[in-house]
Amino acid sequence: SAVISQKPSRDICQRGTSLTIQCQVDSQVTMMFWYRQQPGQSLTLIATANQGSEATYESGFVIDKFPISRPNLTFSTLTVSNMSPEDSSIYLCSVRKGAGGGYTFGSGTRLTVV
Amino acid sequence: AQRVTQPEKLLSVFKGAPVELKCNYSYSGSPELFWYVQYSRQRLQLLLRHISRESIKGFTADLNKGETSFHLKKPFAQEEDSAMYYCALMNSGGYQKVTFGTGTKLQVIP
């Protein structure tokens, strides 16, 4: 399975600012996924990032709030823009290495907005 | 729409007792189902998937299409099994979206 490095592991941010989370994979993957896990809740898919095209956002998530970059097949970033306390959550990136395999997750970014 | 339901937020069992973590799903096609585990202070990791019919760390899960269930079982719980367990479903269409259940915290009492 792929190895994912995600950073930062945690951050405390002021409301109104933005944070960019980076995800680096040790091998090339077609699709990368960004999830949010709010306190006490399950993982919710934010968007799917394909290299060379715009990310596909799930219902309730928009590009202006969560812009995503995917400059190559091993790297992606998720930005949480104009943050409010409601954005406090764990953000995770994930990839699937080949059909039939499970998904591998990054270690997550614990974001606290104050 | 696809949905995954894990009815128990917390399951406490004694060491050596059998474990069954329930998962029910809703999906009109042929889904691919997974169990993920998250140990304390560790990242989420794949435990097993239904297509490989494997047993990992003594855990098994059988897909029951009639009951739309994918319960996770282990005959004898061990303390190191204490963790959060998430059931997940991936749709069979071209856009492979994964939906997670809300998770069950398994607590194995020594």
Side-chain angles (χ1 to χ4, degrees):
Chain A
S1 61
V3 175
I4 300 175
S5 299
Q6 185 176 340
K7 58 182 180 181
S9 59
R10 59 177 64 226
D11 207 341
I12 300 173
C13 301
Q14 296 290 326
R15 69 171 67 205
T17 62
S18 298
L19 175 71
T20 296
I21 302 166
Q22 298 180 7
C23 187
Q24 178 75 52
V25 189
D26 68 342
S27 54
Q28 294 183 340
V29 291
T30 304
M31 292 192 288
M32 295 178 73
F33 306 89
W34 286 98
Y35 287 86
R36 181 174 73 182
Q37 186 175 24
Q38 293 180 303
Q41 297 189 27
S42 186
L43 286 80
T44 302
L45 181 64
I46 297 171
T48 302
N50 294 321
Q51 193 269 333
S53 63
E54 275 200 8
T56 303
Y57 288 82
E58 296 299 306
S59 175
F61 298 96
V62 296
I63 188 171
D64 290 345
K65 177 67 176 177
F66 297 101
I68 287 171
S69 79
R70 185 78 203 276
N72 57 53
L73 290 172
T74 64
F75 186 78
S76 179
T77 67
L78 169 77
T79 299
V80 186
S81 303
N82 189 25
M83 289 183 285
S84 66
E86 292 71 37
D87 294 320
S88 297
S89 186
I90 297 173
Y91 294 84
L92 302 110
C93 66
S94 175
V95 303
R96 190 183 201 196
K97 187 69 175 168
Y103 288 78
T104 302
F105 286 84
S107 52
T109 297
R110 184 180 293 272
L111 171 62
T112 303
V113 184
V114 297
Chain B
Q2 56 197 67
R3 187 181 302 152
V4 177
T5 302
Q6 292 180 252
E8 301 144 327
K9 278 195 168 183
L10 172 66
L11 180 65
S12 296
V13 301
F14 285 100
K15 177 182 174 182
V19 174
E20 183 178 51
L21 298 166
K22 290 184 167 38
C23 172
N24 288 89
Y25 67 89
S26 172
Y27 181 61
S28 57
S30 293
E32 196 171 338
L33 285 144
F34 307 85
W35 275 99
Y36 283 84
V37 59
Q38 188 168 29
Y39 300 102
S40 179
R41 299 184 185 281
Q42 295 187 29
R43 67 180 67 190
L44 195 65
Q45 56 186 285
L46 177 67
L47 180 62
L48 54 78
R49 48 203 160 138
H50 91 270
I51 59 171
S52 53
R53 294 183 162 273
E54 55 205 342
S55 173
I56 304 294
K57 299 184 180 183
F59 285 97
T60 59
D62 291 317
L63 177 60
N64 185 324
K65 292 186 178 181
E67 296 183 357
T68 59
S69 68
F70 188 56
H71 302 327
L72 183 68
K73 300 177 183 179
K74 183 170 183 176
F76 307 104
Q78 299 174 328
E79 289 181 65
E80 55 265 32
D81 296 329
S82 296
M84 278 294 292
Y85 290 81
Y86 294 94
C87 182
L89 177 154
M90 187 179 74
N91 63 286
S92 54
Y95 179 54
Q96 296 178 335
K97 177 180 175 179
V98 179
T99 300
F100 284 83
T102 50
T104 299
K105 182 174 182 178
L106 175 63
Q107 184 179 63
V108 180
I109 304 166

